Amino acid sequence: HNQKEPTLNNRFPKWIIVWLVCGNLLAFTDNFLFLLLRPQTLPGGSLSFLWPHMQAYLEIDRSVQDLQNPFIWAQSLITVVEIGFGVTALATNLGSRAELSYLLGFGYGLLSSFHVGLIFLVEITSGFAYLGHNSKPIIAAAYFLPNSFWIVIPLLISLHCARKLLR
């Protein structure tokens, strides 16, 4: 099966490119580096000033502060695989391997969305162990709503890539 030439028609739309660049950068800094460098990145740590937005988020989601929580470490490592898929999809799309880029984009979208979905399920099935100190409106508005973008947009990327692959 021949690779399609990298025509404008085979390029990712701008919204996917923006998400893969910005989303992967944010995932790398906030969901990998921030977690990897704990406790220095937590409040009072020598690197906490690099993540002022995360300091506020920690008031809502206390799971990140639990250094004994193996799920936090595991999901951080999944982030590395996600980033690998996303960066490689972007690079191959800008190169001459359009079909491969759509396959990688499809995988990126599924992995990213199911990763965040799993985080939600762990919190829900734990009885909101790390969120329960918040009111329900705070949990909905400051936790589920913003984090849902990491489910919806990657699923839209997968859908877009699947349509391209099936043509």
Side-chain angles (χ1 to χ4, degrees):
H1 197 8
N2 293 338
Q3 293 288 328
K4 293 178 182 169
E5 290 299 312
T7 64
L8 190 59
N9 204 23
N10 290 331
R11 295 278 187 224
F12 286 146
K14 286 181 185 172
W15 68 270
I16 291 180
I17 294 169
V18 168
W19 181 266
L20 289 176
V21 170
C22 297
N24 278 322
L25 183 61
L26 191 60
F28 180 74
T29 59
D30 290 2
N31 207 26
F32 180 67
L33 281 183
F34 179 83
L35 297 175
L36 179 72
L37 298 173
R38 291 176 309 157
Q40 291 86 358
T41 56
L42 295 176
S46 61
L47 300 174
S48 64
F49 71 96
L50 295 172
W51 284 273
H53 62 289
M54 289 298 289
Q55 305 309 311
Y57 181 77
L58 294 173
E59 296 295 320
I60 296 161
D61 179 4
R62 293 182 177 161
S63 68
V64 177
Q65 297 179 60
D66 182 356
L67 299 177
Q68 304 307 312
N69 185 343
F71 181 74
I72 295 298
W73 293 109
Q75 67 91 18
S76 179
L77 295 176
I78 289 172
T79 300
V80 176
V81 178
E82 268 176 54
I83 291 169
F85 269 81
V87 168
T88 308
L90 187 57
T92 54
N93 189 260
L94 296 174
S96 61
R97 305 198 57 192
E99 287 181 357
L100 177 60
S101 73
Y102 281 102
L103 181 60
L104 292 165
F106 178 77
Y108 162 83
L110 288 182
L111 181 59
S112 183
S113 60
F114 281 97
H115 169 198
V116 176
L118 181 61
I119 292 169
F120 283 5
L121 287 174
V122 167
E123 188 60 33
I124 291 166
T125 59
S126 74
F128 295 96
Y130 293 105
L131 296 174
H133 61 284
N134 298 293
S135 67
K136 288 178 183 172
I138 293 292
I139 293 171
Y143 181 79
F144 284 113
L145 181 64
N147 288 314
S148 292
F149 284 99
W150 294 92
I151 294 175
V152 174
I153 294 174
L155 281 178
L156 292 173
I157 290 172
S158 284
L159 192 66
H160 177 82
C161 291
R163 285 184 183 144
K164 285 287 196 173
L165 288 168
L166 294 173
R167 286 186 182 173

